[in-house]
Amino acid sequence: MELNTAIKQLNDVDSKLHALNHAQAMIYWDGAIGAPKNSVEGRAKTLSILTGEYYNTLVNDDFNELLSFLQNNISNLDYITSKKVENFRNEYDKIAKIPQEDYSEYTAVQAKSGAAWEEAKEKNDFSIFAPHLEKVINYNKKFIEYRGFNKHPYNTLLDDYEKGITTDDLDEFFSELKNTIVPLVAKIKESGVDINTEFAYKHYDVKKQDKLNKKLLESIGFNMDSGLIEESVHPFTTNFNRNDVRITTHYYDNNVLSALYSTIHEGGHAIYEQNISEELEYSTLCGGTSMGIHESQSRFFENVIGRSYSFLEYLFPMVQEAFPENLSDVTAYDFYFAANESSPSLVRIEADELTYSLHIMIRYEIEKLLFENKVLVEDLPKLWNEKYHEYMGLTPKSDAEGILQDVHWSEGYFGYFPSYALGNAYASQFAHTMKNVIDFDEDLKNGNFDNINNWLHDNIHKHGKLLTPKEIIEKATGEPLNAKYYTKYLEEKYSKLYNLK
Amino acid sequence: MELNTAIKQLNDVDSKLHALNHAQAMIYWDGAIGAPKNSVEGRAKTLSILTGEYYNTLVNDDFNELLSFLQNNISNLDYITSKKVENFRNEYDKIAKIPQEDYSEYTAVQAKSGAAWEEAKEKNDFSIFAPHLEKVINYNKKFIEYRGFNKHPYNTLLDDYEKGITTDDLDEFFSELKNTIVPLVAKIKESGVDINTEFAYKHYDVKKQDKLNKKLLESIGFNMDSGLIEESVHPFTTNFNRNDVRITTHYYDNNVLSALYSTIHEGGHAIYEQNISEELEYSTLCGGTSMGIHESQSRFFENVIGRSYSFLEYLFPMVQEAFPENLSDVTAYDFYFAANESSPSLVRIEADELTYSLHIMIRYEIEKLLFENKVLVEDLPKLWNEKYHEYMGLTPKSDAEGILQDVHWSEGYFGYFPSYALGNAYASQFAHTMKNVIDFDEDLKNGNFDNINNWLHDNIHKHGKLLTPKEIIEKATGEPLNAKYYTKYLEEKYSKLYNLK
C-alpha cells in the first residue's frame, strides 16, 4: 500500500467517525432540550443504528490492517497523524479484544440493569437491583480478562476514563484526601459557625436568571458565536465540533446559586472544547483528552474561580443589579459565604466543594474491593452505610439515598467516578502554577479572563487528545499529580470561612 | 441466497437509510431554528459525509444484486417488502445510471450556481447567473440522456417529483387552468371591488400569536405529543418519523394572517406524516408519496379549509379573543374577505390562492421549452416578462423580482414546480369527493376534524409511499386527475367574493 493512500484512508475513517459522533450528539441534545413526548422510541432506534455504524467503521479487518501498516511506518508520519494512529489503535484493541457475542449480551444486560435500578430506587429495594448489578460486574470482570491488566484488574477500567492512572496512584491520592478532609469536616461541625444563606433562596425570576447566566457565561470567555445555552432537567455540555459547543443549565425560581454554579461549571467544560487547536478541527482528536482533565476545567471555573471572593467581587454586583428586591442589603462578602457553605450530605450531586471528593473516595474504595473479589454484591448497602458513617458522620435512612443514588453502576461505569476527584485536584494544581505567572486575583476582580484563558489554552485546551492526562499535568505544572495543592487549597479556604484554628 | 436472509438484508439497509435520513433532517432542523453563527461549516461537513454514506449504502453492487434477487422472487414477498424492492429499484436506477464522475461534477456546479444566483439577485444582474444556469441545465439534459425518457425528455424530470405525470397530462391541465383563471383574474380587476384588509395589518403581539397558532395547530388535528412547532425564517415541515414531525412558522408583529396561514399550511404537511400507517414505521416507505400529494394536503388545510367561511366561523372568535384591541368591530365575514383578497403579483411566494397556479404555469411553459431546446438561457428574462404581462397583466421592473426570484433553478430543480399546481388541483378533487360522504361545512363550523382527518387517513395518509400519486387519486376519488374540480372551485368562490356575473 502507498503511505499517502493509507493516510487518506485513515483520515476518511476519522472524518466519518467524527460525523457520526456529531449526528449522535445532535440527536441526544435535541432529546434533552424538549423533543416531543412520543419521539423516544425513534430516537433510540436511530442512535442504536448510528452506534452500530460507528462500531463497524472502527472494528473491521481492513481498518485493523490499515492501522498496523501505519504503525509500521510511524516514523514517516507527521505528529498529528501518528497520534490518530495511536488513539485509534487503543480504541480498536479495547473493543476488538472482546468477542462481539459477549458485547451484544452485555448491551442487553445493561439495558435490563438500568430498568431494574430505576425500579429498585423507586421502591427503595436494593434486592431488585442486586442480581443485575452482579451480572454487570461479572461482565466487566470477564472483559478485564479478555483485555488483560497491569498489576491490578481495576486498572484496566480506570484507564478507560483516565489514561495511565492506577490504583497505586489513587491509593496515595485518596489517602492524602482522607487525612485532610475528614478532620476538616469534623472541625467545621464543631466550630458552630452558621452561615447565612437565606437570601439566596428567595424568589428569583427565571427569565432574569436566564439573562444573568448568559452574561456570566460570556464574561468568563465562552464564545456565543460558537455555542449556546439552553435549559434541560440535568445540566450537561455537548460538543459537535469546536465551533459548536452547547451547554444546558437548570433554573429554580427559589434558588439563585444553583443555576449560576451549574452554568459556570458547564462553561468550563465548554471553553475547553471551544479552544482546542484549529488543526484538529473535525477530527476525533478534537475533544477533551480525558474525563479527569475535562472535570478539572469545569471545577476550576465552578470552584477555584466561581467560589473565590475575588471573582464574586466582580460577579455579585451583576447579581445584585438583577435582583435588587432580594439583595440590596447583601454584600459580596455575604454572597461569598453563602456560596461556600459546607455541610456533609448523603447525596453526591448535592455535595459542597469540600465534601465532594469524599463521596468519590467511598465509591473508589468500594469499586476496588469489588474487583478484588473482596465484597459480595449483597453486602454493598451495609458497606456503603458504614463508610458514610465513618467519613461523613451520616447514615443513609434508605438505600435510595444510599447505594442506589446514582444510575452509573447500572450502566457499567466502573472506574469512572475517580475522575471527578482527580478533576478537583488537577484544578488546584493548575491554579497553583498559574498564579506564579499571572495576577490571578486581580484579573478575577476585574472580570478579566484573557490571561487565565490564554494560560489554559496554551497548557491544556489546545492539545485536544494529542496529550495524555499525565503528559498535560507534567508539562503544565512541572510535576506529576500532587494532591497537596488540592488539600492545601481546601484547608486554607475553609479555615478562613469557618474561622478554624 | 436464502429468501429470508435477503429480506433481512433489505430491511437492514432500509433501517440504516431511515436512520441516516433522521440524522440529516435533525442537523438541518437544528440549523434552521437557531444554531450558533459559526456552526455552518461543521454542519455542511457532517451533512456531506452522511449524504455520501447514504449514497454508498444504496448504490453498490451487493445491493444491486440483492434487489435483483428479490425482484426475481417478488411473488413470494409480502406486499410491503415488494413495495420496498420496487421503490429502492427506482431510486437505485435513477442514481446508478449516472456515472459517479458526472454526479460529483454536478454537485460542484450546483454549489457555484447557487452562489452565482445569490449574487445575481442581489445585484439584479441575470448575466452573472446565466452561464451557471446553462451548465445546470446541460447537466440535467445529459442525465436525461443517461436515464432515458418516455415521449418527452422533460418527463424524466417530472417523474422525479410526481411519479407518472407527463407533459401530456400537464399540457391539458394547464390549458384548463389558463382558460379559467386568466379571464377570472381580469374580471376581478374590472369589478372594482375593494376588500378591506386594514385590520389584519395592525400591531399583533408575537407571543399572543404564538399561543394562538399552537391552538390552531392542535385544533386541526396535529398531535402535539408527536411533534412541535418552532420559529424559523422560512417556514417548513420536517419529519424524523411518524412520531416526531415538526413544523416552523414565522411571526410578523404587523400581520396576523401570515403566520396563521403558514401554520395551517405546514400543519397539513405534518398531519399527513403523522398519520402514515404504523406498519411502515421507521422504514423509508414511511413518508409522503410525492411532492404533489404532499402539497395537496398543505393546500387543502391552508385554502380549502383555512380560507373557507365555515372554518373561519370557528377560528375567527379565537383570533378576536386574542386580539380584541384590533378586532372587536370585525366580523368573521370581514375576516373571510380579508383572508381571500386576490390581487395579481409578480412574486410566487406572495401569491394569493387564485393566482398562485398561474406562476407555476409560466414556470412550466418555460421549463418545457428549455428541455425542448426551443429557448436560449440568455432569452429567459424577456420570455419571463412577456408571459407575466400576458397572464397577469404585470411586467417585472427588474430580473430580481422576475426570472431571478426563486433559488430552485440554481439547485437544478427542474420538473419540481408543477407539483405545486397539481397539489392545488388534487386538494379540490379530494374535497369534492369528501363532501359526498361527510358534512364538511358543518364539521368546519364546529371545529370538528374527526371526519375530515379520518377520510384523509383512510384515502391518503395511511398509504405512505405504498401507492403512487396516480393510484391515490384514482382510489380516493374514483377518477384520474381532473382539473375541473379545481377551476370550478375557484370560479364559484371568487365569483361570490367579487360579486362577479
Side-chain angles (χ1 to χ4, degrees):
Chain A
M1 199 187 309
E2 283 276 339
L3 188 59
N4 280 341
T5 314
I7 293 172
K8 194 190 169 304
Q9 284 177 10
L10 179 81
N11 286 331
D12 285 349
V13 169
D14 187 34
S15 297
K16 184 174 163 186
L17 294 176
H18 182 272
L20 289 168
N21 278 338
H22 183 173
Q24 288 180 285
M26 182 66 85
I27 290 171
Y28 179 83
W29 163 262
D30 178 84
I33 61 158
K37 191 179 151 195
N38 296 338
S39 67
V40 179
E41 184 183 286
R43 184 160 52 252
K45 212 168 163 73
T46 292
L47 285 175
S48 129
I49 289 171
L50 295 178
T51 304
E53 192 55 29
Y54 190 99
Y55 179 92
N56 292 333
T57 305
L58 182 70
V59 183
N60 60 74
D61 293 343
D62 287 348
F63 193 57
N64 189 18
E65 277 169 35
L66 181 73
L67 287 178
S68 299
F69 173 81
L70 288 166
Q71 285 179 298
N72 291 334
N73 289 278
I74 202 94
S75 57
N76 298 318
L77 300 177
D78 64 89
Y79 178 60
I80 291 179
T81 307
S82 72
K83 284 292 167 181
K84 281 188 192 173
V85 172
E86 201 181 288
N87 272 274
F88 279 133
R89 171 52 73 200
N90 278 335
E91 214 183 328
Y92 184 93
D93 288 349
K94 196 195 296 181
I95 304 177
K97 281 185 179 167
I98 298 169
Q100 170 79 61
E101 206 186 314
D102 286 279
Y103 205 81
S104 304
E105 282 169 19
Y106 180 56
T107 310
V109 165
Q110 278 174 312
K112 282 186 196 160
S113 162
W117 168 79
E118 221 172 287
E119 194 191 336
K121 188 172 178 181
E122 205 187 298
K123 296 187 175 163
N124 189 26
D125 182 354
F126 181 71
S127 73
I128 296 171
F129 181 44
H132 297 274
L133 177 60
E134 188 148 12
K135 273 189 200 163
V136 173
I137 292 169
N138 287 339
Y139 267 99
N140 274 281
K141 287 181 179 167
K142 203 169 171 187
F143 294 169
I144 294 169
E145 269 178 49
Y146 286 132
R147 295 171 60 190
F149 64 85
N150 200 345
K151 276 187 159 179
H152 194 293
Y154 187 50
N155 284 345
T156 299
L157 303 180
L158 289 172
D159 203 73
D160 287 346
Y161 301 100
E162 203 62 12
K163 200 166 169 47
I165 285 286
T166 66
T167 50
D168 286 345
D169 299 321
L170 290 179
D171 286 344
E172 191 190 329
F173 173 71
F174 282 116
S175 151
E176 167 72 21
L177 263 52
K178 195 193 311 195
N179 294 336
T180 328
I181 303 177
V182 173
L184 202 51
V185 169
K187 274 194 209 170
I188 288 175
K189 205 177 170 185
E190 286 157 21
S191 77
V193 173
D194 193 15
I195 289 176
N196 175 27
T197 60
E198 199 201 352
F199 58 81
Y201 301 94
K202 295 188 169 175
H203 177 76
Y204 284 88
D205 179 71
V206 163
K207 271 193 194 149
K208 282 191 200 160
Q209 283 197 60
D210 186 48
K211 224 173 137 184
L212 175 66
N213 274 266
K214 282 177 179 153
K215 212 165 150 187
L216 164 63
L217 195 56
E218 272 194 282
S219 75
I220 62 171
F222 179 89
N223 180 353
M224 283 287 186
D225 285 338
S226 296
L228 50 80
I229 172 169
E230 278 277 356
E231 274 185 85
S232 71
V233 180
H234 303 289
F236 68 100
T237 301
T238 188
N239 52 303
F240 307 142
N241 52 62
R242 59 192 288 286
N243 287 314
D244 195 348
V245 184
R246 305 183 182 190
I247 74 163
T248 66
T249 194
H250 189 89
Y251 298 115
Y252 298 91
D253 68 2
N254 58 356
N255 182 342
V256 73
L257 295 172
S258 176
L260 282 176
Y261 284 99
S262 151
T263 296
I264 195 168
H265 177 99
E266 302 304 334
H269 284 304
I271 289 169
Y272 186 4
E273 292 290 340
Q274 286 186 335
N275 286 284
I276 293 170
S277 172
E278 199 172 346
E279 60 186 356
L280 299 179
E281 200 160 52
Y282 309 126
S283 160
T284 52
L285 291 179
C286 196
T289 191
S290 75
M291 249 205 75
I293 297 291
H294 236 303
E295 200 65 13
S296 79
Q297 298 309 291
S298 56
R299 299 283 167 169
F300 180 78
F301 274 90
E302 177 191 350
N303 291 331
V304 179
I305 289 176
R307 289 191 163 89
S308 70
Y309 181 61
S310 307
F311 182 64
L312 289 174
E313 281 189 280
Y314 170 75
L315 178 67
F316 178 70
M318 288 190 216
V319 188
Q320 196 179 36
E321 198 190 336
F323 300 102
E325 67 276 22
N326 298 333
L327 301 173
S328 60
D329 292 341
V330 175
T331 65
Y333 201 64
D334 299 331
F335 200 82
Y336 166 69
F337 272 81
N340 282 292
E341 190 199 22
S342 174
S343 165
S345 71
L346 290 163
V347 178
R348 177 184 60 87
I349 60 167
E350 293 164 9
D352 58 69
E353 185 183 1
L354 176 65
T355 57
Y356 190 90
S357 292
L358 293 184
H359 293 267
I360 303 303
M361 183 177 76
I362 293 171
R363 192 70 78 155
Y364 168 71
E365 291 181 359
I366 295 176
E367 289 192 0
K368 205 178 142 210
L369 289 172
L370 276 170
F371 286 90
E372 287 169 344
N373 298 312
K374 288 186 181 159
V375 60
L376 296 173
V377 166
E378 62 192 70
D379 296 330
L380 287 177
K382 195 169 154 276
L383 180 63
W384 179 281
N385 292 355
E386 283 168 6
K387 286 190 182 286
Y388 268 81
H389 182 72
E390 182 184 349
Y391 301 141
M392 304 269 210
L394 298 168
T395 307
K397 281 192 293 294
S398 69
D399 288 343
E401 64 171 17
I403 185 91
L404 289 171
Q405 65 182 256
D406 281 310
V407 68
H408 306 71
W409 278 358
S410 79
E411 293 165 341
Y413 282 52
F414 296 98
Y416 160 95
F417 280 105
S419 303
Y420 284 131
L422 289 170
N424 287 332
Y426 295 160
S428 292
Q429 190 164 338
F430 291 141
H432 175 83
T433 309
M434 195 185 296
K435 284 174 181 176
N436 292 331
V437 286
I438 66 179
D439 200 343
F440 192 72
D441 287 301
E442 191 60 24
D443 279 349
L444 289 184
K445 268 181 210 169
N446 298 313
N448 175 7
F449 279 80
D450 291 349
N451 296 325
I452 293 169
N453 281 330
N454 283 339
W455 192 94
L456 293 173
H457 171 77
D458 292 343
N459 289 284
I460 303 162
H461 298 172
K462 73 172 181 189
H463 302 300
K465 291 190 205 293
L466 290 175
L467 300 180
T468 64
K470 288 204 161 180
E471 286 167 340
I472 285 193
I473 303 291
E474 294 205 23
K475 272 179 174 256
T477 70
E479 61 178 315
L481 168 66
N482 182 344
K484 289 224 155 63
Y485 296 110
Y486 177 43
T487 52
K488 208 179 144 204
Y489 159 81
L490 291 174
E491 277 179 328
E492 282 182 6
K493 179 169 181 176
Y494 284 91
S495 296
K496 275 187 203 163
L497 277 161
Y498 284 90
N499 207 13
L500 308 177
K501 304 274 153 71
Chain B
M1 200 189 307
E2 283 277 340
L3 189 58
N4 281 342
T5 314
I7 293 171
K8 193 188 168 306
Q9 284 177 9
L10 179 81
N11 286 332
D12 285 347
V13 169
D14 188 32
S15 297
K16 183 174 164 190
L17 295 177
H18 182 272
L20 288 168
N21 278 338
H22 183 173
Q24 288 180 284
M26 182 66 85
I27 290 170
Y28 180 82
W29 164 263
D30 178 82
I33 62 159
K37 191 179 151 196
N38 296 339
S39 66
V40 178
E41 184 184 285
R43 183 158 57 251
K45 212 167 162 75
T46 293
L47 285 175
S48 130
I49 288 170
L50 296 177
T51 304
E53 192 55 28
Y54 189 99
Y55 180 94
N56 292 333
T57 306
L58 183 69
V59 183
N60 61 73
D61 292 343
D62 287 349
F63 193 57
N64 189 18
E65 276 169 36
L66 181 73
L67 288 178
S68 300
F69 173 81
L70 289 165
Q71 283 179 299
N72 291 333
N73 289 278
I74 203 95
S75 57
N76 297 320
L77 301 177
D78 65 273
Y79 178 60
I80 290 179
T81 307
S82 73
K83 283 290 167 184
K84 280 189 192 173
V85 171
E86 202 180 286
N87 272 274
F88 279 132
R89 173 50 75 199
N90 278 334
E91 214 183 328
Y92 183 93
D93 287 350
K94 197 195 298 182
I95 304 176
K97 281 184 179 168
I98 297 170
Q100 170 80 61
E101 205 188 316
D102 286 280
Y103 205 80
S104 304
E105 282 168 19
Y106 180 56
T107 310
V109 165
Q110 278 174 312
K112 282 186 195 161
S113 161
W117 168 79
E118 222 172 288
E119 193 192 336
K121 189 171 177 182
E122 204 187 297
K123 297 188 175 163
N124 189 28
D125 182 353
F126 181 72
S127 73
I128 296 171
F129 180 45
H132 297 275
L133 178 59
E134 189 149 7
K135 272 189 200 163
V136 172
I137 293 168
N138 286 339
Y139 267 100
N140 274 281
K141 286 180 181 169
K142 203 170 172 186
F143 294 169
I144 295 169
E145 267 176 52
Y146 286 132
R147 295 171 60 188
F149 64 85
N150 199 346
K151 272 188 162 179
H152 195 291
Y154 187 51
N155 284 345
T156 300
L157 303 181
L158 289 172
D159 205 72
D160 287 346
Y161 302 100
E162 203 62 14
K163 201 167 167 48
I165 285 287
T166 65
T167 52
D168 286 347
D169 297 323
L170 289 179
D171 286 345
E172 192 190 328
F173 173 71
F174 282 116
S175 151
E176 167 71 21
L177 262 54
K178 194 194 311 195
N179 293 336
T180 329
I181 303 176
V182 173
L184 202 52
V185 169
K187 274 193 208 170
I188 287 173
K189 203 177 170 187
E190 286 157 22
S191 76
V193 173
D194 193 16
I195 289 176
N196 174 26
T197 61
E198 201 203 352
F199 58 82
Y201 301 94
K202 294 186 169 176
H203 177 77
Y204 285 87
D205 178 73
V206 163
K207 272 193 192 153
K208 283 191 197 160
Q209 282 197 59
D210 185 50
K211 221 172 141 185
L212 176 67
N213 274 267
K214 281 177 179 154
K215 211 165 153 188
L216 164 63
L217 195 56
E218 272 194 283
S219 75
I220 63 172
F222 179 91
N223 180 352
M224 284 285 186
D225 284 339
S226 297
L228 51 80
I229 173 170
E230 277 278 356
E231 274 186 86
S232 71
V233 180
H234 303 289
F236 69 100
T237 300
T238 189
N239 52 303
F240 307 142
N241 52 63
R242 59 192 288 286
N243 286 315
D244 195 349
V245 184
R246 306 182 182 190
I247 74 163
T248 66
T249 194
H250 188 89
Y251 298 113
Y252 298 91
D253 67 2
N254 58 356
N255 182 343
V256 73
L257 295 172
S258 176
L260 282 176
Y261 284 99
S262 151
T263 296
I264 194 169
H265 177 100
E266 302 304 333
H269 284 304
I271 289 167
Y272 186 3
E273 293 290 339
Q274 285 186 335
N275 286 284
I276 292 170
S277 171
E278 200 173 344
E279 59 186 354
L280 299 180
E281 201 160 50
Y282 310 126
S283 160
T284 52
L285 290 178
C286 196
T289 190
S290 74
M291 247 206 76
I293 297 291
H294 235 302
E295 201 65 13
S296 79
Q297 298 310 290
S298 56
R299 300 283 167 166
F300 181 78
F301 274 91
E302 177 191 350
N303 292 329
V304 179
I305 289 176
R307 290 193 162 88
S308 70
Y309 181 61
S310 307
F311 181 65
L312 289 174
E313 281 188 281
Y314 169 76
L315 178 67
F316 178 71
M318 287 189 217
V319 187
Q320 196 178 38
E321 199 190 336
F323 301 101
E325 66 277 21
N326 298 333
L327 301 173
S328 61
D329 293 341
V330 176
T331 66
Y333 201 64
D334 300 329
F335 200 82
Y336 166 69
F337 272 81
N340 283 290
E341 190 198 23
S342 173
S343 163
S345 71
L346 289 163
V347 178
R348 177 184 63 87
I349 58 166
E350 293 164 8
D352 58 69
E353 184 182 4
L354 177 63
T355 57
Y356 189 91
S357 292
L358 293 185
H359 293 267
I360 304 302
M361 183 176 78
I362 292 171
R363 192 71 79 157
Y364 169 70
E365 292 181 359
I366 295 176
E367 289 191 357
K368 203 177 143 209
L369 289 171
L370 276 170
F371 287 90
E372 286 169 345
N373 298 311
K374 286 185 183 162
V375 62
L376 296 172
V377 166
E378 63 192 67
D379 295 330
L380 287 176
K382 195 169 157 274
L383 180 63
W384 180 281
N385 292 355
E386 283 168 5
K387 287 190 181 287
Y388 268 80
H389 182 73
E390 184 184 348
Y391 301 141
M392 303 270 209
L394 298 168
T395 308
K397 280 192 291 293
S398 69
D399 289 342
E401 66 172 15
I403 186 88
L404 288 171
Q405 66 183 255
D406 282 309
V407 67
H408 305 70
W409 278 358
S410 79
E411 294 167 339
Y413 282 52
F414 297 98
Y416 161 94
F417 280 104
S419 304
Y420 284 129
L422 289 169
N424 287 332
Y426 295 160
S428 292
Q429 190 164 337
F430 291 141
H432 175 85
T433 309
M434 196 186 293
K435 284 174 180 177
N436 290 332
V437 287
I438 66 179
D439 200 343
F440 191 73
D441 287 300
E442 191 61 24
D443 280 349
L444 290 184
K445 266 181 212 170
N446 298 314
N448 175 6
F449 279 82
D450 292 349
N451 296 325
I452 292 169
N453 281 331
N454 284 338
W455 191 94
L456 293 173
H457 172 77
D458 292 344
N459 290 283
I460 302 161
H461 299 172
K462 74 173 181 189
H463 301 300
K465 291 191 205 293
L466 290 174
L467 301 180
T468 64
K470 289 202 160 181
E471 287 168 340
I472 286 193
I473 304 290
E474 294 204 25
K475 272 180 174 255
T477 71
E479 60 177 316
L481 167 66
N482 183 343
K484 288 223 156 62
Y485 297 111
Y486 177 43
T487 53
K488 209 178 143 203
Y489 159 81
L490 291 174
E491 278 180 328
E492 283 182 5
K493 179 170 181 177
Y494 285 91
S495 297
K496 277 186 201 160
L497 276 161
Y498 283 88
N499 208 14
L500 307 178
K501 301 276 152 68

